[in-house]
């Protein structure tokens, strides 16, 4: 196990190492260009253009500018290290305001914000040095106003320099905060493969615009903050360093001091300079990290076995390697006939399709897991009264012993649930799908819902379903949010008691007396009801429906690539598969795709689920993860059409359920 983990880390370093080094190198090389633009714009003098340009070019070769470039190169390297440490290929979507606050005060995020604030102060100091004039030094000589005749020069605080330093720290912290809130650490993979230079050139205007606008808002917020709290650092600096205040100058924590247009312009320009250099470093890392990587199908040497595509897909590598492998699978299935032949080839000796078996098994596993997740989400929505399932899903006819045996087998085997589901009647099928529960939603847990307990054979005696067959015309009232082990009984009219559940129930009743557990449950209900009536509590704890839906599909890019890769390989096998290795798994593939399409269609019929994708405005902040569910639905339908168009009427010979045959016929007739 440790050897496999070490090999995966070595593979990650091998794949990601040179990409990070190239991104950092280009970021440092572009820093002098950004510095030159900042020096030219900071000395803006349109009435004397010749002097303005000559002074700007003379400043580029001074020793303090070269030192500032070296110092800011160190800052870029530190920022790049944090970019590498905090990147994510699956966005983290907080479903409530309390979850967002928890992310902000997380120790890792606190360190991220603190380091960025310090780096922002360093960049602001470099900006004051390169701007020169009244912003250059923290302490300047001044003459007290009360002793004009016998004036003794004293050292006074240069509040303009302090204003610049604090604005840099504020912009660095704001950058870190918005980096978290806007999921800027998310790495979106490009749909269309392009050269890195073209991707950078296309994003550069958006980067400049975003930096200018964001710096304007950050400086505005800082001016408001400094107006109310600016005297605190000013008094502390004066006391610590023994500096005086120049009474002849307007203090900057007043309206008259903040209405200085020159101060506002230079502060905004330094903010643009800071944001542009940091965003360039992040953009280059994003471009290099999401570049496609070629994984071999078959190893040339024995040492390369762990780096082959089938091996990586069936292991548990870092998510970035997993995404790159699925992206490579999608690309080879479309554009590489030679590599497709390697996928369809047989092993020598033995003649087994190991490559195809490994790739198809992992793709089907991913799609089955997504189906399980969507079914669990729909069951939870139905149990909480937010959604009412279709009428046919609540009809559970009396089962024969054979059917009960099939249900027990389907409950124990999570890998074969899709095939079993496809072979059942459409009325029995929803009740036989096992729900992939989370660790906190097991049977008997106070977090389990009645619908989940009913699916697993545990029926609440207080529910209207106890002892009777559920009718589609019965209206569920007051869904129970909490259930107890002692209150759950097995429904003898339909299922035999499970020995495992019976033993667990008996053991829990022996350890925990009934009256204590009931008292705890009552107190829990009272606390929950009390908190639910407080508007402020519900403001932080209530979940946003759209965010919850986005969280379900946050990693759907993997499933989209699995769909596209699998469907292209199946379509290509019609003419390229010489040994017929794909035909052995074609029924399972069709059953999985059709079952997933049924579940996805049912998801879009739930309340609070929009049927149209939101409009994505052209911005540097990527929000493509908000439309992944729509891309998944389109890719799923396209994949089915791709297979049915190539195979045509030959699919009638494939062993699938009656309902799936009807659905396939709709695709064959182009009516879906």
């Amino acid at each position: 196990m440790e050897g496999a983990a070490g090999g995966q880390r070595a593979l990650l370093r091998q794949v990601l190492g040179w990409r990070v080094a190239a991104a950092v190198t280009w970021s440092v090389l572009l820093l002098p260009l950004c510095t030159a633009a900042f020096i030219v714009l900071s000395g803006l003098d349109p009435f004397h253009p010749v002097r303005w340009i000559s002074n700007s070019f003379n400043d580029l070769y001074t020793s303090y500018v070269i030192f500032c470039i070296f110092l800011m190169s160190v800052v870029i390297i530190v920022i790049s290290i944090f970019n590498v440490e905090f990147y994510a290929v699956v966005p983290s979507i907080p479903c409530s305001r309390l979850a967002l606050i928890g992310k902000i005060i997380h120790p890792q995020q606190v360190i991220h914000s603190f380091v960025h604030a310090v780096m922002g102060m360093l960049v602001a100091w470099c900006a004051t040095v390169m701007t020169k004039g009244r912003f250059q030094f923290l302490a300047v000589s001044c003459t007290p106003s009360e002793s004009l005749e016998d004036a003794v020069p004293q050292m006074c605080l240069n509040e303009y320099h302090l204003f610049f330093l604090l604005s840099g720290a504020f912009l660095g912290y704001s950058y870190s905060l918005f980096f978290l809130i806007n999921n800027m650490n998310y790495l979106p993979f490009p749909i269309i493969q392009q050269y890195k230079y073209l991707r950078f050139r296309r994003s550069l205007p958006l980067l400049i615009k975003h930096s200018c606008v964001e710096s304007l808002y950050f400086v505005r917020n800082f001016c408001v903050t400094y107006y109310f709290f600016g005297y605190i650092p000013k008094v502390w600096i004066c006391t610590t360093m023994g500096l005086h205040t120049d009474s002849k100058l307007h203090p900057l924590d007043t309206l008259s001091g903040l209405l200085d247009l020159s101060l506002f312009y230079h502060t905004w320009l330094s903010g643009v300079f800071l944001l542009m250099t940091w965003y360039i470093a992040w953009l280059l890392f994003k471009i290099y990290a999401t570049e496609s990587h070629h994984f071999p199908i078959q190893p040339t040497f024995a040492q390369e076995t762990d780096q082959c595509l089938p091996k990586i897909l069936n292991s548990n590598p870092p998510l970035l390697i997993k995404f790159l492998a699925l992206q490579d699978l999608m690309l080879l299935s479309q554009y590489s006939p030679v590599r497709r032949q390697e996928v369809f080839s047989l092993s020598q000796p033995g003649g087994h399709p190991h490559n195809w078996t490994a790739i198809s098994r992992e793709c089907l596993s991913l799609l089955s897991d997504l189906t399980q997740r969507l079914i669990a989400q729909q069951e939870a929505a139905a149990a909480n009264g937010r959604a009412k399932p279709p009428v046919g899903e609540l009809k559970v006819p009396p089962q024969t012993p054979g059917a009960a045996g099939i249900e027990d087998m389907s409950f124990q085997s999570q890998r074969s649930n899709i095939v079993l589901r496809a072979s059942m009647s459409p009325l029995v099928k929803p009740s036989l799908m096992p729900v992939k529960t989370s660790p906190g939603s097991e049977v008997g847990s106070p977090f389990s819902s009645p619908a989940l307990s009913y699916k697993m054979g545990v029926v609440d005696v207080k529910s209207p379903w106890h002892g009777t067959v559920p009718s589609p015309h019965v209206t569920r009232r007051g869904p129970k949010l909490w259930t107890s082990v002692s209150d759950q009984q097995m429904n003898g009219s339909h299922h035999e008691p499970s020995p495992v559940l019976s033993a667990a129930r008996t053991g829990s009743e022996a350890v925990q007396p009934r009256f204590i557990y009931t008292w705890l449950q009552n107190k829990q209900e009272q606390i929950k009801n009390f908190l639910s009536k407080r508007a402020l509590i519900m403001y932080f704890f209530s979940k946003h429906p759209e965010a919850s839906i986005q969280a379900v599909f946050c990693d759907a890019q993997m499933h989209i690539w699995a769909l596209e890769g699998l469907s292209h390989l199946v379509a290509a096998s019609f003419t390229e598969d010489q040994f017929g290795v794909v035909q052995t798994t074609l029924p399972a593939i069709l059953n999985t795709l059709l079952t997933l399409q049924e579940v996805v269609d049912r998801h879009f019929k739930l309340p609070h689920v929009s049927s149209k994708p939101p409009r994505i405005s052209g911005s540097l902040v990527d929000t493509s993860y908000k439309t992944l569910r729509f891309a998944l639905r389109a890719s799923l339908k396209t994949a089915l059409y791709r297979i049915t168009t190539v195979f045509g009427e030959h699919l009638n010979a494939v062993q699938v359920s009656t309902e799936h045959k009807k659905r396939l016929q709709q695709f064959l007739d182009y009516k879906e």
Side-chain angles (χ1 to χ4, degrees):
M1 184 66 68
E2 294 181 357
Q8 293 170 1
R9 288 193 296 268
L11 179 61
L12 179 63
R13 288 193 298 268
Q14 177 184 350
V15 174
L16 194 60
W18 72 269
R19 301 172 185 236
V20 174
V24 173
T25 302
W26 279 108
S27 302
V28 174
L29 290 177
L30 290 175
L31 185 59
L33 295 178
C34 298
T35 305
F38 172 78
I39 291 175
V40 171
L41 293 177
S42 63
L44 183 63
D45 189 4
F47 298 104
H48 304 87
V50 177
R51 186 174 61 185
W52 166 37
I53 298 298
S54 62
N55 292 338
S56 299
F57 277 98
N58 291 332
D59 291 340
L60 292 177
Y61 303 102
T62 55
S63 58
Y64 58 84
V65 171
I66 297 176
F67 174 76
C68 288
I69 292 177
F70 174 77
L71 183 60
M72 286 186 293
S73 300
V74 177
V75 171
I76 292 297
I77 294 175
V78 174
I79 296 299
S80 299
I81 292 175
F82 275 84
N83 289 339
V84 175
E85 292 295 330
F86 282 82
Y87 79 89
V89 292
V90 177
S92 176
I93 304 174
C95 298
S96 63
R97 295 175 180 88
L98 185 65
L100 179 59
I101 295 175
K103 287 180 60 178
I104 293 175
I105 63 177
H106 193 275
Q108 289 185 351
Q109 179 59 31
V110 171
I111 296 175
H112 187 275
S113 300
F114 175 76
V115 172
H116 278 73
V118 174
M119 295 298 106
M121 186 176 292
L122 286 178
V123 174
W125 180 83
C126 293
T128 59
V129 171
M130 292 184 294
T131 304
K132 299 187 298 184
R134 56 177 178 172
F135 306 104
Q136 191 168 7
F137 301 105
L138 180 62
V140 294
S141 60
C142 63
T143 303
S145 58
E146 58 271 10
S147 57
L148 292 178
E149 296 181 357
D150 300 330
V152 178
Q154 295 181 351
M155 299 302 294
C156 295
L157 174 67
N158 183 10
E159 194 173 357
Y160 294 103
H161 187 90
L162 178 64
F163 188 87
F164 252 78
L165 295 182
L166 294 178
S167 68
F170 185 86
L171 264 68
Y173 175 78
S174 301
Y175 170 88
S176 174
L177 186 62
F178 278 73
F179 196 82
L180 170 73
I181 295 176
N182 295 329
N183 274 318
M184 294 287 288
N185 63 332
Y186 169 58
L187 292 177
F189 286 79
I191 299 176
I192 301 175
Q193 299 296 317
Q194 290 181 317
Y195 291 109
K196 295 184 288 292
Y197 168 72
L198 296 178
R199 292 180 61 186
F200 179 78
R201 189 182 66 178
R202 184 189 62 182
S203 302
L204 189 58
L206 292 176
L207 187 147
I208 297 174
K209 176 185 175 182
H210 184 80
S211 300
C212 294
V213 175
E214 195 170 60
S215 176
L216 188 64
Y217 284 111
F218 287 168
V219 172
R220 180 203 63 182
N221 297 339
F222 173 71
C223 290
V224 174
T225 305
Y226 193 84
Y227 177 78
F228 289 103
F229 306 104
Y231 68 93
I232 299 177
K234 183 170 61 175
V235 172
W236 181 75
I237 290 291
C238 291
T239 305
T240 304
M241 302 182 63
L243 300 177
H244 301 274
T245 56
D246 194 347
S247 59
K248 294 183 294 184
L249 299 177
H250 291 287
L252 296 183
D253 55 349
T254 59
L255 289 178
S256 59
L258 291 175
L259 290 178
D260 189 344
L261 294 180
S262 176
L263 175 65
F264 185 85
Y265 169 74
H266 285 92
T267 307
W268 170 79
L269 187 62
S270 66
V272 174
F273 176 63
L274 180 148
L275 294 176
M276 277 193 59
T277 53
W278 291 6
Y279 279 137
I280 286 176
W282 166 245
L283 178 62
L284 288 172
F285 170 71
K286 183 167 62 173
I287 291 175
Y288 273 95
T290 55
E291 185 184 9
S292 61
H293 183 77
H294 180 89
F295 294 94
I297 304 297
Q298 296 177 345
T300 306
F301 302 100
Q303 295 81 3
E304 299 178 355
T305 305
D306 293 337
Q307 301 178 9
C308 293
L309 183 63
K311 180 70 174 180
I312 292 175
L313 289 178
N314 283 270
S315 60
N316 189 23
L319 277 179
L320 179 62
I321 301 298
K322 186 88 167 183
F323 271 66
L324 289 174
L326 288 169
Q327 185 189 42
D328 185 45
L329 174 65
M330 182 268 296
L331 294 175
L332 77 88
S333 66
Q334 297 184 50
Y335 308 113
S336 181
V338 177
R339 301 183 69 196
R340 286 200 298 263
Q341 286 297 326
E342 295 183 16
V343 174
F344 299 143
S345 64
L346 301 179
S347 62
Q348 297 296 334
H352 299 289
H354 292 307
N355 296 331
W356 167 252
T357 301
I359 291 175
S360 61
R361 180 173 62 238
E362 178 59 24
C363 292
L364 292 179
S365 175
L366 282 174
L367 300 178
S368 301
D369 290 343
L370 178 61
T371 305
Q372 299 271 341
R373 191 194 314 165
L374 291 178
I375 291 176
Q377 187 256 351
Q378 293 167 14
E379 293 293 337
N384 290 330
R386 294 191 299 268
K388 195 172 183 180
V391 174
E393 290 188 23
L394 292 178
K395 295 181 180 179
V396 183
Q399 293 181 350
T400 61
I406 294 176
E407 178 175 333
D408 293 337
M409 183 174 60
S410 65
F411 172 73
Q412 296 173 3
S413 175
Q414 295 187 357
R415 292 298 182 190
S416 61
N417 54 65
I418 301 300
V419 180
L420 291 175
R421 176 184 171 90
S423 63
M424 294 298 165
S425 169
L427 299 181
V428 185
K429 174 176 54 182
S431 64
L432 297 183
M433 285 300 296
V435 181
K436 189 176 183 180
T437 59
S438 60
S441 60
E442 299 175 355
V443 178
S445 169
F447 298 98
S448 62
S449 62
L452 181 60
S453 301
Y454 177 77
K455 292 291 179 183
M456 303 181 72
V458 183
V459 182
D460 197 334
V461 296
K462 299 180 181 179
S463 68
W465 316 122
H466 178 67
T468 61
V469 178
S471 173
H473 305 290
V474 177
T475 304
R476 177 171 28 84
R477 301 171 184 171
K480 291 188 65 178
L481 299 179
W482 310 96
T483 57
S484 61
V485 177
S486 60
D487 289 340
Q488 293 175 343
Q489 303 293 334
M490 301 298 292
N491 191 344
S493 60
H494 297 291
H495 305 280
E496 293 296 329
S498 173
V500 178
L501 296 178
S502 301
R505 184 176 65 250
T506 304
S508 63
E509 289 178 353
V511 173
Q512 196 171 36
R514 178 183 177 85
F515 71 94
I516 296 180
Y517 195 81
T518 305
W519 181 81
L520 291 176
Q521 288 290 84
N522 292 335
K523 289 298 181 182
Q524 194 175 42
E525 285 289 336
Q526 293 176 5
I527 296 174
K528 181 171 65 68
N529 294 332
F530 174 79
L531 295 178
S532 63
K533 296 177 182 179
R534 300 298 182 268
L536 184 61
I537 297 296
M538 295 307 297
Y539 176 80
F540 289 102
F541 281 85
S542 60
K543 292 186 177 182
H544 194 276
E546 181 64 22
S548 302
I549 295 171
Q550 293 173 8
V552 175
F553 293 92
C554 62
D555 61 343
Q557 186 62 63
M558 285 196 306
H559 307 91
I560 293 174
W561 284 335
L563 278 170
E564 294 182 355
L566 197 61
S567 61
H568 277 288
L569 288 175
V570 171
S573 69
F574 189 76
T575 56
E576 299 178 9
D577 185 10
Q578 301 176 2
F579 306 102
V581 298
V582 176
Q583 296 182 13
T584 59
T585 54
L586 188 57
I589 292 173
L590 291 176
N591 286 329
T592 303
L593 297 184
L594 292 171
T595 305
L596 178 59
Q597 195 210 22
E598 178 185 350
V599 175
V600 170
D601 290 342
R602 194 185 307 150
H603 168 81
F604 279 94
K605 296 178 182 178
L606 293 175
H608 308 296
V609 177
S610 175
S611 60
K612 295 182 180 180
R615 179 179 300 178
I616 299 178
S617 58
S619 174
L620 189 66
V621 180
D622 189 274
T623 56
S624 59
Y625 62 88
K626 297 182 179 180
T627 60
L628 282 177
R629 62 183 185 272
F630 303 98
L632 175 69
R633 181 176 61 175
S635 298
L636 181 57
K637 185 173 292 187
T638 303
L640 286 169
Y641 268 119
R642 184 178 296 121
I643 295 174
T644 55
T645 301
V646 173
F647 282 84
E649 298 298 330
H650 296 283
L651 293 177
N652 294 328
V654 180
Q655 295 294 328
V656 293
S657 64
T658 305
E659 182 183 355
H660 286 172
K661 282 187 177 180
K662 295 179 181 178
R663 186 68 67 94
L664 274 178
Q665 191 61 42
Q666 292 180 354
F667 279 98
L668 290 171
D669 298 337
Y670 297 97
K671 294 181 179 179
E672 183 64 32

